[in-house]
Amino acid sequence: MTRLTFYVTTPIYYVNAAPHLGTAYTTVAADVIARYKRLCGFDVHFLTGTDEHGQKVAKSAEEAGLDPKSWADTVVPQFHEAWKLLEVSNDDFIRTTDERHEKGAAAFMQRVYDSGHIRKDHYEGWYCIHDETFFTEEQVGPDRVCPDCSRPVQLLKEENYFFKLSAFAEPLLEHIRTHPAFVQPEIRKNEVVSFIEMGLKDLSISRPMTSLTWGIPLPFDPDHVMYVWFDALLNYITAIGYGEDERRFDQYWPVDWHLVGKDIIRFHCVIWPAMLMAAGVALPKHVFAHGFLLAKGEKMSKSKGNVLAPADLVARFGADAYRYYFMREVPFGGDGSISIETMVLRYNADLANDYGNLVSRLTNMFEKYLGGVIPANPKMPGDWNTLDGELIKGCESLYADVDSALETLQFSDALKEVWERVRLTNRYVEDSAPWNLAKDPATHGRLKEVLWRAAEAVRIITLFVWPVMPAAAERAWDQLGLTESLGTIPQATGACMDVDEVPDGLRSCALWGKLPEGAKVHKGEALFPRIYEDDSSIS
Ligand code: MSP
């Protein structure tokens, strides 16, 4: 029996710089959806990696006094370390210098050549090394600067191979029309459509060895290397066996989500699908372009000197709180301002006060009043318009609400739904006042009922906390005396794994009533110790 698959990717990052908050943002988002889908029971494949060819990387290597491959070898471990630190659970990491990639990319190129979509021509125009993008005279204007990053561009006069991109304008528009969810969010779709409607020009897809040697040689003319973007985009298929392992390729392709930043939407929603059409390969199901993280109102970038290092923030707040902050604070798709001040506020309000405090006061009361043992599952309330009824209804609808927000990658909305239930449970505890019920033996029955229900609510909530904050959720889970690991829930429940059926693991686990009688609750250390305002070890 095979399980339904779910394939998600991040862009592959240039190795000219160490990972930063921008690249970490996409990677954490991809990790959250990958973990969520695993929890549901999908066979998930989560890919990230590095983009190592091209002039930009060659230049950084030269500045460092190394050959490009040795330079990349020094930077790649920094990506592995950063992703480990941020609890990123990628299934694969592709480097464009991997043999599997170079072979698959050459096979793809040959296929596009054989199908008549490549021609040789003379190229005269402008090139931005920073963006690895060709521009026309008009686009660079009299100042000869890149219209995207404002850096000076260089003039190229070369014999190049061209991809007949112009032939794909109509098929692309047709695809977008018939697949309204292909480009998301809507604003980016409109941008892509108007870009195509303005007319597509054929695209230079090679550089002669005389001007650049750091790339994959064209299989049909080894005196030229592949244009770095053509090479890089192919990672999404070479990593899963394109041209090598058809069974594996068919298992995961077409990809469910390509996650990218809004600056690289045209490469992913115009050039990439046209390349795939030319080679007769199915198109991605969805591409989602997120916005930029802004620090002090500006896009973070090395040149602006406002780049925050993920490791510094993790040292201060922990990886879980880091992940929570970026997923909750910035609605996915828009630009978002971030700052240490708002990070401290969110940490204290949502994590220390709301969720952390709920877990700690509850486990404390279990130890104090019930000897740390989960009592029997109380009967469902007869009247639903009660505190108990409200709590149960609220928790039972959580799966549907989170799932529908994550259907379009609205992480912030999904977390709002989860935190609504955290607050509901806090109110339930507050209004039921177990500390008063404990005073009188006559109300001990009610005490057990209240604590059982509050713990059951926390169990359900914690399932949905896990994709965003895996370590904290595992700890809360453990404090509730739940033994099976959260990450293996769908397997453990043996929930629906049939082909073509949406897996049922999380939905069934999130149903009310599964908290096991007799489990041993214990109070552990605070999940999120409060951070005091005057503690300015980072600013
Ligand atoms: N190598 C190409 C991608 C090839 S994919 C086939 C590339 N690499 S990159 O390292 O420059 O950037 C990767 C991603 O980081 C982009 O999606 C970009 O949008 C994102 N970010 C870089 N700075 C950012 C912010 N300040 N905020 C959010 N994301 C931004 O492009």
Side-chain angles (χ1 to χ4, degrees):
M1 215 155 37
T2 48
R3 278 185 290 155
L4 215 62
T5 59
F6 180 82
Y7 180 26
V8 58
T9 67
T10 71
I12 48 170
Y13 304 113
Y14 288 127
V15 287
N16 67 311
H20 53 77
L21 290 197
T23 48
Y25 181 55
T26 331
T27 313
V28 165
D31 188 61
V32 171
I33 195 66
R35 284 178 183 271
Y36 178 76
K37 291 290 178 176
R38 279 191 207 114
L39 206 54
C40 289
F42 285 83
D43 168 2
V44 171
H45 193 68
F46 167 20
L47 174 72
T48 187
T50 42
D51 189 352
E52 305 186 9
H53 290 128
Q55 218 168 334
K56 169 164 163 152
V57 170
K59 196 165 157 248
S60 300
E62 200 185 318
E63 282 161 15
L66 292 171
D67 67 90
K69 178 63 167 58
S70 311
W71 162 253
D73 288 345
T74 66
V75 180
V76 168
Q78 298 178 37
F79 279 91
H80 287 297
E81 266 164 47
W83 301 157
K84 190 162 166 234
L85 185 72
L86 290 171
E87 303 174 294
V88 171
S89 62
N90 53 301
D91 298 289
D92 193 4
F93 187 103
I94 189 158
R95 301 180 54 174
T96 50
T97 50
D98 286 349
E99 195 193 337
R100 58 177 172 158
H101 175 75
E102 298 192 342
K103 277 170 76 177
F108 184 94
M109 204 58 150
Q110 186 67 48
R111 188 152 162 194
V112 177
Y113 185 72
D114 292 343
S115 60
H117 296 291
I118 292 178
R119 62 179 173 85
K120 199 172 186 184
D121 207 343
H122 183 76
Y123 177 79
E124 183 165 341
W126 300 90
Y127 194 73
C128 170
I129 299 180
H130 182 264
D131 290 333
E132 299 277 20
T133 304
F134 297 95
F135 290 109
T136 59
E137 185 78 29
E138 259 172 19
Q139 289 172 307
V140 299
D143 296 338
R144 312 280 189 243
V145 292
C146 169
D148 290 341
C149 70
S150 310
R151 290 178 175 81
V153 285
Q154 63 170 194
L155 183 64
L156 297 185
K157 286 184 189 179
E158 302 172 342
E159 225 13 72
N160 285 354
Y161 284 91
F162 282 73
F163 171 54
K164 298 181 189 169
L165 182 63
S166 56
F168 292 94
E170 260 319 305
L172 284 171
L173 288 172
E174 175 63 13
H175 184 82
I176 295 172
R177 259 194 304 272
T178 51
H179 298 78
F182 174 55
V183 187
Q184 294 184 42
E186 197 68 17
I187 179 175
R188 299 292 154 225
K189 185 191 351 197
N190 299 339
E191 180 188 319
V192 168
V193 168
S194 19
F195 179 75
I196 302 172
E197 282 174 346
M198 278 180 344
L200 296 180
K201 290 205 175 66
D202 290 352
L203 175 75
S204 167
I205 51 153
S206 68
R207 305 289 313 275
M209 284 277 191
T210 44
S211 47
L212 180 70
T213 54
W214 183 232
I216 302 176
L218 294 183
F220 47 86
D221 186 347
D223 288 339
H224 293 254
V225 295
M226 213 180 279
Y227 169 42
V228 63
W229 266 102
F230 235 66
D231 162 351
L233 288 161
L234 289 168
N235 90 88
Y236 301 130
I237 59 173
T238 60
I240 53 166
Y242 175 82
E244 285 255 301
D245 181 346
E246 252 175 64
R247 198 198 55 80
R248 190 171 139 75
F249 180 68
D250 290 341
Q251 189 183 348
Y252 291 113
W253 195 261
V255 66
D256 289 87
W257 287 105
H258 283 318
L259 265 52
V260 301
K262 65 178 184 181
D263 52 336
I264 54 176
I265 188 88
R266 287 180 198 169
F267 293 101
H268 285 83
C269 296
V270 180
I271 298 176
W272 178 225
M275 287 165 66
L276 291 167
M277 282 177 179
V281 178
L283 303 201
K285 290 184 204 157
H286 314 284
V287 180
F288 193 105
H290 64 70
F292 288 145
L293 298 178
L294 310 172
K296 301 201 167 71
E298 283 196 278
K299 182 187 175 209
M300 283 182 323
S301 71
K302 224 162 78 173
S303 54
K304 294 200 181 98
N306 61 350
V307 177
L308 288 165
D312 292 341
L313 293 181
V314 170
R316 185 71 195 90
F317 295 93
D320 279 332
Y322 176 108
R323 293 165 59 104
Y324 177 80
Y325 174 73
F326 287 97
M327 292 297 100
R328 174 66 182 82
E329 190 73 12
V330 184
F332 209 56
D335 291 347
S337 285
I338 52 156
S339 69
I340 302 289
E341 292 74 18
T342 54
M343 202 164 175
V344 170
L345 287 177
R346 268 225 182 271
Y347 177 99
N348 281 338
D350 299 4
L351 303 184
N353 285 2
D354 289 347
Y355 181 63
N357 198 30
L358 172 62
V359 173
S360 96
R361 74 203 291 218
L362 193 63
T363 50
N364 194 26
M365 287 189 285
F366 265 99
E367 284 195 348
K368 205 159 147 197
Y369 305 137
L370 301 180
V373 179
I374 305 259
N377 182 348
K379 281 206 199 80
M380 282 296 196
D383 180 359
W384 289 91
N385 290 321
T386 53
L387 287 178
D388 300 73
E390 294 300 323
L391 182 74
I392 297 170
K393 281 187 284 181
C395 290
E396 287 214 313
S397 57
L398 184 54
Y399 170 78
D401 290 343
V402 169
D403 202 64
S404 101
L406 291 184
E407 195 61 39
T408 49
L409 304 185
Q410 290 312 300
F411 302 104
S412 186
D413 287 346
L415 286 170
K416 268 187 221 156
E417 295 292 346
V418 179
W419 255 254
E420 215 172 79
R421 273 59 170 200
V422 171
R423 293 191 191 107
L424 177 67
T425 313
N426 269 323
R427 273 203 309 278
Y428 175 76
V429 171
E430 206 52 49
D431 293 348
S432 310
W435 43 90
N436 288 337
L437 300 171
K439 286 181 194 152
D440 180 355
T443 50
H444 272 194
R446 175 68 185 150
L447 171 70
K448 285 185 185 165
E449 201 173 85
V450 166
L451 290 187
W452 191 94
R453 288 192 176 134
E456 174 61 342
V458 172
R459 182 190 70 83
I460 293 171
I461 286 165
T462 301
L463 286 167
F464 296 91
V465 168
W466 184 78
V468 179
M469 300 194 287
E474 292 280 359
R475 284 173 59 204
W477 199 249
D478 177 64
Q479 290 178 21
L480 281 181
L482 300 166
T483 46
E484 107 213 355
S485 161
L486 255 168
T488 59
I489 278 200
Q491 289 87 332
T493 54
C496 166
M497 301 284 176
D498 288 350
V499 193
D500 294 340
E501 266 182 60
V502 176
D504 205 19
L506 183 56
R507 196 192 61 80
S508 76
C509 199
L511 289 177
W512 185 266
K514 304 224 160 163
L515 184 69
E517 179 180 353
K520 290 286 284 173
V521 176
H522 65 95
K523 186 172 160 59
E525 282 185 17
L527 297 178
F528 300 101
R530 225 186 132 74
I531 291 177
Y532 291 95
E533 315 289 329
D534 60 353
D535 180 350
S536 50
S537 53
I538 285 191
S539 58

